[in-house]
Amino acid sequence: MSKSIAKKEKRGMYQNVLHQFNKAADVMNLDPGVRKILGTTQNEIVVHFPAKMDDGSVEVFTGYRVQHNNALGPYKGGLRYHPTVDIDAARALATWMTWKTALAGLPYGGGKGGIQIDPKKYSKGELERITRRFTYALGNNIGPDYDIPAPDVNTNSQIMAWIADTFASNQAPGQRFNSFHVVTGKPVVSGGLEGRDRATGFGVVTTIQKWADLREEDLSNKTYIVQGFGNVGYWASHFMKEKGVKLIGVQDHSGTIYNEDGIDPEELLAYATDNNGGIKGFHKADEYDKDTFFGIDCDIIIPAALGNQITTDNAGMIKAQLVAEGANGPTDTDAEQILLDKGIEIIPDILCNGGGVIGSYFEWLQNKRSEIWKIEDVLIKLQDKLEISFDKVIKTAEKYDIDWRTAAYVVAMERLEQTYTERGVFP
Ligand code: GLU
């Protein structure tokens, strides 16, 4: 992300989460004890660990893993490598994971973490050593039936393979094979799931299709813009293209581009791959002003980068009908109110990007059962789960006459409230 995009992310993400949580808790009249439990994180692990650099020097890094809640199952959620990773961001992202997994009906809780680092500054060998020492420092704070990390911003299947290998190598010999599912999002040959790479983007488009069906609108007449052209941004664009929706603007860490006649996501990916991952300079589009990107005249906006990107600075200029949150926390709470007042609909992150963790769940099941699933089956099952969640959110929004984000929270929190009510609080 550009410096300005990264700076905005720093503005109290956890505060946003708590605001959203309290709003939903009021609506559903959440049990006061459960409100206290869910209003805080369970464990916060901060590790400082050394790693050797290519020139022989040693650097010390700071890594985080926040475990928000595990009432419904093992902690689950990604690890990101980014300079904005800190305790506030990890708390916020871990809490969102609890809602996300509960909403999707998965047997998981929520966790999140990462390393405060700009991975572009390190060689592949350095990243491997940093990742392995981070995994070692986390020790048994993660585990295949306890806390299961996955890819997030700037982490990928290669990094998951190093984590799995390091974790497994530190288990007793008889436990090694069974400990590989300590992470999901692994390379396919190392037990990864076919389709996990595209699961989040596929899910984003599934929810956009549900929105169009609800409004009885034809997606193929629509235009959209996407912020972030990493895993989520690219795959969402790929599936939007399959539905004939026209991509007219893209923004990433390197620049902002626009073409009213359309940008082909496959050509853009090929360009970015040869260009250090950046879209800047793509020959089939013009450069565009970064500060008015969200004001581009289009039907749908897919923020698929970092948090706090749609703020009071730019919410007023948005002309789109729909914001589909591929990223976690891209809309801050004040901006959300502006959008809702303007009649702009928002598919909230915990629903919109839930395809990723649903894909992770399938991978985990596949590993536990020693099975290998086919991509066609994966995508069908994924679509099915997301459609069920989407319908629940719409029904709940109607029942309480609330916005979709609050409704998504209510669905998630009702499940958690019921669990705590049935089990009670030990002792
Ligand atoms: N990092 C993704 C998310 O924010 C995926 C998490 C997972 O698969 O555990 O939802």
Side-chain angles (χ1 to χ4, degrees):
M1 280 300 99
S2 72
K3 279 203 189 98
S4 63
I5 294 180
K7 210 163 91 200
K8 283 187 207 161
E9 163 105 354
K10 298 291 287 177
R11 254 193 331 230
M13 279 172 97
Y14 191 50
Q15 240 172 293
N16 272 353
V17 178
L18 289 180
H19 176 92
Q20 294 163 349
F21 166 68
N22 284 319
K23 189 171 165 190
D26 288 343
V27 166
M28 65 185 281
N29 203 10
L30 180 66
D31 172 87
V34 177
R35 190 175 182 139
K36 283 183 202 154
I37 295 170
L38 295 178
T40 186
T41 60
Q42 288 178 344
N43 305 310
E44 301 186 344
I45 300 134
V46 183
V47 291
H48 306 286
F49 59 92
K52 264 191 228 146
M53 300 292 100
D54 290 343
D55 65 3
S57 65
V58 169
E59 272 191 44
V60 173
F61 298 87
T62 302
Y64 300 85
R65 186 70 181 171
V66 171
Q67 296 164 334
H68 172 257
N69 189 277
N70 65 350
L72 298 174
Y75 303 108
K76 185 83 192 83
L79 291 173
R80 64 172 60 177
Y81 287 3
H82 198 274
T84 59
V85 172
D86 60 12
I87 195 69
D88 182 82
R91 278 180 188 142
L93 292 158
T95 309
W96 275 319
M97 285 310 302
T98 300
W99 314 143
K100 202 183 293 186
T101 54
L103 170 63
L106 304 180
Y108 287 142
K112 195 72 149 229
I115 308 177
Q116 194 178 82
I117 184 185
D118 178 358
K120 288 189 196 70
K121 293 192 180 142
Y122 298 91
S123 70
K124 190 172 176 194
E126 287 169 338
L127 281 176
E128 175 174 352
R129 292 193 292 279
I130 293 166
T131 299
R132 288 185 182 277
R133 275 306 296 247
F134 178 43
T135 308
Y136 184 74
L138 287 175
N140 285 330
N141 288 301
I142 57 171
D145 292 305
Y146 179 62
D147 183 354
I148 307 138
D152 198 82
V153 174
N154 289 340
T155 54
N156 53 24
S157 57
Q158 172 64 80
I159 288 175
M160 296 307 118
W162 290 328
I163 297 175
D165 185 65
T166 308
F167 182 85
S169 300
N170 282 290
Q171 307 302 309
Q175 292 300 316
R176 281 185 194 150
F177 174 71
N178 272 329
S179 52
F180 249 70
H181 54 294
V182 63
V183 282
T184 54
K186 298 179 290 295
V188 171
V189 284
S190 293
L193 180 81
E194 283 230 50
R196 174 62 186 86
D197 54 354
R198 65 210 67 186
T200 312
F202 178 80
V204 168
V205 178
T206 299
T207 63
I208 294 173
Q209 181 66 60
K210 284 290 283 180
W211 167 81
D213 294 346
L214 189 74
R215 295 282 167 256
E216 294 180 358
E217 297 202 31
D218 181 2
L219 267 189
S220 66
N221 298 327
K222 307 258 178 227
T223 57
Y224 74 103
I225 60 175
V226 62
Q227 187 194 46
F229 205 65
N231 175 277
V232 182
Y234 161 67
W235 280 109
S237 306
H238 170 92
F239 289 109
M240 287 294 259
K241 182 181 166 186
E242 277 190 3
K243 295 196 178 283
V245 200
K246 189 159 65 163
L247 174 63
I248 60 171
V250 184
Q251 179 169 66
D252 79 349
H253 61 277
S254 67
T256 305
I257 58 172
Y258 174 75
N259 184 348
E260 65 174 337
D261 297 327
I263 295 168
D264 180 52
E266 312 306 330
E267 285 183 27
L268 185 60
L269 178 71
Y271 175 84
T273 306
D274 290 342
N275 197 28
N276 241 336
I279 58 158
K280 189 183 168 74
F282 180 58
H283 46 290
K284 292 194 178 167
D286 298 323
E287 235 179 85
Y288 198 85
D289 171 36
K290 71 175 180 5
D291 295 325
T292 54
F293 175 68
F294 286 123
I296 288 176
D297 196 357
C298 63
D299 301 304
I300 300 165
I301 297 179
I302 306 178
L306 296 172
N308 282 343
Q309 301 303 310
I310 300 178
T311 65
T312 49
D313 295 343
N314 54 27
M317 65 174 83
I318 291 181
K319 299 182 192 74
Q321 294 171 269
L322 176 71
V323 173
E325 295 184 334
N328 290 308
T331 313
D332 82 14
T333 47
D334 296 335
E336 171 154 30
Q337 200 49 54
I338 297 174
L339 300 188
L340 295 175
D341 290 345
K342 286 170 68 155
I344 297 168
E345 290 181 298
I346 303 169
I347 306 177
D349 47 8
I350 61 168
L351 172 64
C352 190
N353 70 35
V357 74
I358 296 172
S360 279
Y361 170 59
F362 295 154
E363 179 171 328
W364 187 71
L365 277 186
Q366 177 190 263
N367 293 161
K368 270 172 131 17
R369 297 175 183 168
S370 298
E371 290 177 354
I372 293 181
W373 294 17
K374 285 199 300 221
I375 189 163
E376 299 79 22
D377 299 338
V378 168
L379 296 181
I380 290 169
K381 281 177 197 281
L382 187 58
Q383 182 170 339
D384 191 48
K385 271 206 167 298
L386 272 170
E387 289 181 351
I388 291 170
S389 298
F390 191 97
D391 291 340
K392 278 189 195 158
V393 170
I394 299 303
K395 232 172 106 187
T396 306
E398 280 164 8
K399 177 175 162 195
Y400 291 102
D401 191 21
I402 47 177
D403 62 87
W404 290 355
R405 186 185 317 280
T406 311
Y409 271 58
V410 169
V411 175
M413 283 154 54
E414 277 176 352
R415 206 176 148 214
L416 284 150
E417 183 181 42
Q418 194 184 339
T419 303
Y420 276 107
T421 310
E422 283 163 3
R423 290 187 207 161
V425 172
F426 172 82

